[in-house]
PDB file of all heavy atoms in Angstrom:
ATOM      1  N   SER A 105      19.214  -9.034  24.222  1.00  0.00           N
ATOM      2  CA  SER A 105      20.439  -9.292  23.562  1.00  0.00           C
ATOM      3  C   SER A 105      20.442  -8.872  22.136  1.00  0.00           C
ATOM      4  O   SER A 105      21.553  -8.781  21.553  1.00  0.00           O
ATOM      5  CB  SER A 105      20.712 -10.820  23.723  1.00  0.00           C
ATOM      6  OG  SER A 105      19.677 -11.483  23.016  1.00  0.00           O
ATOM      7  N   ASN A 106      19.304  -8.722  21.630  1.00  0.00           N
ATOM      8  CA  ASN A 106      19.186  -8.236  20.154  1.00  0.00           C
ATOM      9  C   ASN A 106      18.767  -6.774  20.059  1.00  0.00           C
ATOM     10  O   ASN A 106      18.285  -6.288  18.995  1.00  0.00           O
ATOM     11  CB  ASN A 106      18.211  -9.115  19.350  1.00  0.00           C
ATOM     12  CG  ASN A 106      18.343  -9.026  17.948  1.00  0.00           C
ATOM     13  OD1 ASN A 106      19.426  -8.944  17.419  1.00  0.00           O
ATOM     14  ND2 ASN A 106      17.171  -8.874  17.223  1.00  0.00           N
ATOM     15  N   PHE A 107      18.913  -6.058  21.177  1.00  0.00           N
ATOM     16  CA  PHE A 107      18.327  -4.701  21.246  1.00  0.00           C
ATOM     17  C   PHE A 107      18.830  -3.743  20.078  1.00  0.00           C
ATOM     18  O   PHE A 107      18.016  -3.081  19.364  1.00  0.00           O
ATOM     19  CB  PHE A 107      18.611  -3.945  22.574  1.00  0.00           C
ATOM     20  CG  PHE A 107      17.905  -2.648  22.695  1.00  0.00           C
ATOM     21  CD1 PHE A 107      16.698  -2.627  23.302  1.00  0.00           C
ATOM     22  CD2 PHE A 107      18.530  -1.448  22.288  1.00  0.00           C
ATOM     23  CE1 PHE A 107      16.047  -1.352  23.492  1.00  0.00           C
ATOM     24  CE2 PHE A 107      17.949  -0.266  22.517  1.00  0.00           C
ATOM     25  CZ  PHE A 107      16.673  -0.137  23.042  1.00  0.00           C
ATOM     26  N   PHE A 108      20.152  -3.737  19.899  1.00  0.00           N
ATOM     27  CA  PHE A 108      20.700  -2.772  18.968  1.00  0.00           C
ATOM     28  C   PHE A 108      20.278  -3.121  17.511  1.00  0.00           C
ATOM     29  O   PHE A 108      19.842  -2.211  16.797  1.00  0.00           O
ATOM     30  CB  PHE A 108      22.231  -2.701  19.013  1.00  0.00           C
ATOM     31  CG  PHE A 108      22.851  -1.444  18.458  1.00  0.00           C
ATOM     32  CD1 PHE A 108      23.000  -0.396  19.250  1.00  0.00           C
ATOM     33  CD2 PHE A 108      23.135  -1.303  17.088  1.00  0.00           C
ATOM     34  CE1 PHE A 108      23.559   0.927  18.690  1.00  0.00           C
ATOM     35  CE2 PHE A 108      23.705  -0.200  16.584  1.00  0.00           C
ATOM     36  CZ  PHE A 108      23.862   0.904  17.412  1.00  0.00           C
ATOM     37  N   ALA A 109      20.395  -4.359  17.159  1.00  0.00           N
ATOM     38  CA  ALA A 109      19.980  -4.749  15.863  1.00  0.00           C
ATOM     39  C   ALA A 109      18.438  -4.599  15.595  1.00  0.00           C
ATOM     40  O   ALA A 109      18.051  -3.939  14.535  1.00  0.00           O
ATOM     41  CB  ALA A 109      20.349  -6.220  15.503  1.00  0.00           C
ATOM     42  N   ALA A 110      17.613  -4.854  16.567  1.00  0.00           N
ATOM     43  CA  ALA A 110      16.137  -4.708  16.381  1.00  0.00           C
ATOM     44  C   ALA A 110      15.673  -3.322  16.294  1.00  0.00           C
ATOM     45  O   ALA A 110      14.793  -2.998  15.555  1.00  0.00           O
ATOM     46  CB  ALA A 110      15.464  -5.466  17.519  1.00  0.00           C
ATOM     47  N   ASN A 111      16.406  -2.441  17.008  1.00  0.00           N
ATOM     48  CA  ASN A 111      15.923  -0.980  17.107  1.00  0.00           C
ATOM     49  C   ASN A 111      16.680  -0.012  16.186  1.00  0.00           C
ATOM     50  O   ASN A 111      16.163   0.988  15.829  1.00  0.00           O
ATOM     51  CB  ASN A 111      16.046  -0.620  18.540  1.00  0.00           C
ATOM     52  CG  ASN A 111      15.022  -1.309  19.477  1.00  0.00           C
ATOM     53  OD1 ASN A 111      13.842  -0.978  19.394  1.00  0.00           O
ATOM     54  ND2 ASN A 111      15.436  -2.203  20.245  1.00  0.00           N
ATOM     55  N   PHE A 112      17.889  -0.385  15.855  1.00  0.00           N
ATOM     56  CA  PHE A 112      18.693   0.518  15.016  1.00  0.00           C
ATOM     57  C   PHE A 112      19.126  -0.047  13.671  1.00  0.00           C
ATOM     58  O   PHE A 112      19.683   0.667  12.801  1.00  0.00           O
ATOM     59  CB  PHE A 112      20.055   0.974  15.776  1.00  0.00           C
ATOM     60  CG  PHE A 112      19.743   1.893  17.049  1.00  0.00           C
ATOM     61  CD1 PHE A 112      19.582   1.311  18.211  1.00  0.00           C
ATOM     62  CD2 PHE A 112      19.601   3.317  16.726  1.00  0.00           C
ATOM     63  CE1 PHE A 112      19.405   2.099  19.370  1.00  0.00           C
ATOM     64  CE2 PHE A 112      19.323   4.064  17.907  1.00  0.00           C
ATOM     65  CZ  PHE A 112      19.171   3.511  19.097  1.00  0.00           C
ATOM     66  N   GLY A 113      18.838  -1.378  13.449  1.00  0.00           N
ATOM     67  CA  GLY A 113      19.296  -1.937  12.233  1.00  0.00           C
ATOM     68  C   GLY A 113      18.635  -1.666  10.955  1.00  0.00           C
ATOM     69  O   GLY A 113      19.086  -1.740   9.876  1.00  0.00           O
ATOM     70  N   GLY A 114      17.332  -1.061  11.060  1.00  0.00           N
ATOM     71  CA  GLY A 114      16.550  -0.662   9.912  1.00  0.00           C
ATOM     72  C   GLY A 114      15.967  -1.880   9.043  1.00  0.00           C
ATOM     73  O   GLY A 114      15.528  -1.546   8.045  1.00  0.00           O
ATOM     74  N   ARG A 115      16.042  -3.054   9.621  1.00  0.00           N
ATOM     75  CA  ARG A 115      15.506  -4.119   8.835  1.00  0.00           C
ATOM     76  C   ARG A 115      14.852  -5.235   9.793  1.00  0.00           C
ATOM     77  O   ARG A 115      15.202  -5.131  10.973  1.00  0.00           O
ATOM     78  CB  ARG A 115      16.695  -4.880   8.120  1.00  0.00           C
ATOM     79  CG  ARG A 115      17.289  -4.027   6.989  1.00  0.00           C
ATOM     80  CD  ARG A 115      16.329  -3.963   5.790  1.00  0.00           C
ATOM     81  NE  ARG A 115      16.982  -3.459   4.553  1.00  0.00           N
ATOM     82  CZ  ARG A 115      17.125  -2.108   4.322  1.00  0.00           C
ATOM     83  NH1 ARG A 115      16.712  -1.228   5.245  1.00  0.00           N
ATOM     84  NH2 ARG A 115      17.751  -1.670   3.181  1.00  0.00           N
ATOM     85  N   ARG A 116      14.015  -6.000   9.284  1.00  0.00           N
ATOM     86  CA  ARG A 116      13.595  -7.178  10.027  1.00  0.00           C
ATOM     87  C   ARG A 116      14.717  -8.148  10.291  1.00  0.00           C
ATOM     88  O   ARG A 116      15.824  -7.951   9.615  1.00  0.00           O
ATOM     89  CB  ARG A 116      12.530  -7.943   9.258  1.00  0.00           C
ATOM     90  CG  ARG A 116      11.168  -7.092   9.045  1.00  0.00           C
ATOM     91  CD  ARG A 116      10.174  -7.917   8.223  1.00  0.00           C
ATOM     92  NE  ARG A 116       8.910  -7.298   8.135  1.00  0.00           N
ATOM     93  CZ  ARG A 116       8.446  -6.770   6.987  1.00  0.00           C
ATOM     94  NH1 ARG A 116       9.322  -6.740   5.930  1.00  0.00           N
ATOM     95  NH2 ARG A 116       7.257  -6.180   6.915  1.00  0.00           N
ATOM     96  N   ALA A 117      14.498  -9.167  11.056  1.00  0.00           N
ATOM     97  CA  ALA A 117      15.522 -10.150  11.302  1.00  0.00           C
ATOM     98  C   ALA A 117      15.987 -10.911  10.014  1.00  0.00           C
ATOM     99  O   ALA A 117      17.149 -11.260   9.913  1.00  0.00           O
ATOM    100  CB  ALA A 117      15.031 -11.164  12.382  1.00  0.00           C
ATOM    101  N   ASP A 118      15.090 -11.043   9.119  1.00  0.00           N
ATOM    102  CA  ASP A 118      15.454 -11.721   7.896  1.00  0.00           C
ATOM    103  C   ASP A 118      16.172 -10.802   6.811  1.00  0.00           C
ATOM    104  O   ASP A 118      16.366 -11.189   5.676  1.00  0.00           O
ATOM    105  CB  ASP A 118      14.223 -12.449   7.219  1.00  0.00           C
ATOM    106  CG  ASP A 118      13.192 -11.512   6.737  1.00  0.00           C
ATOM    107  OD1 ASP A 118      13.366 -10.187   6.827  1.00  0.00           O
ATOM    108  OD2 ASP A 118      12.081 -11.916   6.266  1.00  0.00           O
ATOM    109  N   GLY A 119      16.285  -9.539   7.224  1.00  0.00           N
ATOM    110  CA  GLY A 119      16.988  -8.620   6.317  1.00  0.00           C
ATOM    111  C   GLY A 119      16.022  -7.749   5.389  1.00  0.00           C
ATOM    112  O   GLY A 119      16.583  -6.860   4.738  1.00  0.00           O
ATOM    113  N   SER A 120      14.809  -8.031   5.517  1.00  0.00           N
ATOM    114  CA  SER A 120      13.856  -7.231   4.676  1.00  0.00           C
ATOM    115  C   SER A 120      13.399  -5.986   5.449  1.00  0.00           C
ATOM    116  O   SER A 120      13.544  -5.754   6.587  1.00  0.00           O
ATOM    117  CB  SER A 120      12.586  -8.137   4.337  1.00  0.00           C
ATOM    118  OG  SER A 120      11.830  -8.440   5.600  1.00  0.00           O
ATOM    119  N   SER A 121      12.798  -5.073   4.520  1.00  0.00           N
ATOM    120  CA  SER A 121      12.319  -3.835   5.018  1.00  0.00           C
ATOM    121  C   SER A 121      10.884  -3.723   4.710  1.00  0.00           C
ATOM    122  O   SER A 121      10.459  -4.205   3.697  1.00  0.00           O
ATOM    123  CB  SER A 121      13.080  -2.673   4.447  1.00  0.00           C
ATOM    124  OG  SER A 121      12.537  -1.381   4.830  1.00  0.00           O
ATOM    125  N   GLY A 122      10.034  -2.955   5.591  1.00  0.00           N
ATOM    126  CA  GLY A 122       8.715  -2.821   5.334  1.00  0.00           C
ATOM    127  C   GLY A 122       8.469  -1.727   4.346  1.00  0.00           C
ATOM    128  O   GLY A 122       7.359  -1.623   3.789  1.00  0.00           O
ATOM    129  N   PHE A 123       9.352  -0.803   4.146  1.00  0.00           N
ATOM    130  CA  PHE A 123       9.245   0.356   3.256  1.00  0.00           C
ATOM    131  C   PHE A 123      10.097   0.264   2.092  1.00  0.00           C
ATOM    132  O   PHE A 123      11.230  -0.247   2.112  1.00  0.00           O
ATOM    133  CB  PHE A 123       9.549   1.619   3.990  1.00  0.00           C
ATOM    134  CG  PHE A 123       8.593   2.148   5.036  1.00  0.00           C
ATOM    135  CD1 PHE A 123       9.028   2.157   6.358  1.00  0.00           C
ATOM    136  CD2 PHE A 123       7.274   2.454   4.752  1.00  0.00           C
ATOM    137  CE1 PHE A 123       8.145   2.639   7.394  1.00  0.00           C
ATOM    138  CE2 PHE A 123       6.435   2.820   5.731  1.00  0.00           C
ATOM    139  CZ  PHE A 123       6.775   2.957   7.103  1.00  0.00           C
ATOM    140  N   SER A 124       9.560   0.766   0.978  1.00  0.00           N
ATOM    141  CA  SER A 124      10.396   0.866  -0.267  1.00  0.00           C
ATOM    142  C   SER A 124       9.986   2.106  -1.010  1.00  0.00           C
ATOM    143  O   SER A 124       8.892   2.703  -0.837  1.00  0.00           O
ATOM    144  CB  SER A 124      10.222  -0.368  -1.178  1.00  0.00           C
ATOM    145  OG  SER A 124       8.888  -0.503  -1.649  1.00  0.00           O
ATOM    146  N   LEU A 125      10.904   2.619  -1.834  1.00  0.00           N
ATOM    147  CA  LEU A 125      10.775   3.801  -2.628  1.00  0.00           C
ATOM    148  C   LEU A 125      11.276   3.596  -4.020  1.00  0.00           C
ATOM    149  O   LEU A 125      12.440   3.230  -4.213  1.00  0.00           O
ATOM    150  CB  LEU A 125      11.420   5.017  -1.955  1.00  0.00           C
ATOM    151  CG  LEU A 125      11.316   6.359  -2.688  1.00  0.00           C
ATOM    152  CD1 LEU A 125       9.927   6.844  -2.753  1.00  0.00           C
ATOM    153  CD2 LEU A 125      12.172   7.417  -1.995  1.00  0.00           C
ATOM    154  N   ASP A 126      10.256   3.666  -4.997  1.00  0.00           N
ATOM    155  CA  ASP A 126      10.621   3.424  -6.386  1.00  0.00           C
ATOM    156  C   ASP A 126      11.307   2.067  -6.580  1.00  0.00           C
ATOM    157  O   ASP A 126      12.254   1.909  -7.297  1.00  0.00           O
ATOM    158  CB  ASP A 126      11.575   4.528  -6.919  1.00  0.00           C
ATOM    159  CG  ASP A 126      11.007   5.852  -6.897  1.00  0.00           C
ATOM    160  OD1 ASP A 126       9.792   5.980  -7.104  1.00  0.00           O
ATOM    161  OD2 ASP A 126      11.752   6.782  -6.652  1.00  0.00           O
ATOM    162  N   GLY A 127      10.780   1.081  -5.796  1.00  0.00           N
ATOM    163  CA  GLY A 127      11.289  -0.382  -5.970  1.00  0.00           C
ATOM    164  C   GLY A 127      12.404  -0.657  -5.129  1.00  0.00           C
ATOM    165  O   GLY A 127      12.931  -1.812  -5.122  1.00  0.00           O
ATOM    166  N   THR A 128      13.102   0.289  -4.488  1.00  0.00           N
ATOM    167  CA  THR A 128      14.290   0.034  -3.721  1.00  0.00           C
ATOM    168  C   THR A 128      13.890   0.135  -2.168  1.00  0.00           C
ATOM    169  O   THR A 128      13.251   1.099  -1.703  1.00  0.00           O
ATOM    170  CB  THR A 128      15.424   1.036  -3.972  1.00  0.00           C
ATOM    171  OG1 THR A 128      15.669   0.940  -5.422  1.00  0.00           O
ATOM    172  CG2 THR A 128      16.544   0.833  -3.055  1.00  0.00           C
ATOM    173  N   GLU A 129      14.322  -0.840  -1.359  1.00  0.00           N
ATOM    174  CA  GLU A 129      14.017  -0.871  -0.003  1.00  0.00           C
ATOM    175  C   GLU A 129      14.719   0.298   0.768  1.00  0.00           C
ATOM    176  O   GLU A 129      15.895   0.633   0.443  1.00  0.00           O
ATOM    177  CB  GLU A 129      14.324  -2.201   0.672  1.00  0.00           C
ATOM    178  CG  GLU A 129      13.386  -3.418   0.351  1.00  0.00           C
ATOM    179  CD  GLU A 129      13.742  -4.602   1.083  1.00  0.00           C
ATOM    180  OE1 GLU A 129      14.911  -4.723   1.685  1.00  0.00           O
ATOM    181  OE2 GLU A 129      12.901  -5.555   1.188  1.00  0.00           O
ATOM    182  N   ILE A 130      13.998   0.894   1.699  1.00  0.00           N
ATOM    183  CA  ILE A 130      14.645   1.918   2.633  1.00  0.00           C
ATOM    184  C   ILE A 130      14.475   1.468   4.092  1.00  0.00           C
ATOM    185  O   ILE A 130      13.537   0.627   4.390  1.00  0.00           O
ATOM    186  CB  ILE A 130      14.085   3.324   2.291  1.00  0.00           C
ATOM    187  CG1 ILE A 130      12.582   3.296   2.567  1.00  0.00           C
ATOM    188  CG2 ILE A 130      14.343   3.748   0.962  1.00  0.00           C
ATOM    189  CD1 ILE A 130      11.998   4.754   2.414  1.00  0.00           C
ATOM    190  N   SER A 131      15.240   1.988   4.949  1.00  0.00           N
ATOM    191  CA  SER A 131      15.246   1.388   6.395  1.00  0.00           C
ATOM    192  C   SER A 131      13.850   1.600   6.922  1.00  0.00           C
ATOM    193  O   SER A 131      13.311   2.589   6.947  1.00  0.00           O
ATOM    194  CB  SER A 131      16.268   2.018   7.165  1.00  0.00           C
ATOM    195  OG  SER A 131      17.627   1.498   6.739  1.00  0.00           O
TER     196      SER A 131
END
Side-chain angles (χ1 to χ4, degrees):
S105 61
N106 195 45
F107 185 91
F108 201 90
N111 291 285
F112 291 95
R115 293 290 191 273
R116 298 181 173 101
D118 66 1
S120 65
S121 173
F123 289 117
S124 61
L125 179 62
D126 297 329
T128 300
E129 288 188 341
I130 59 178
S131 290

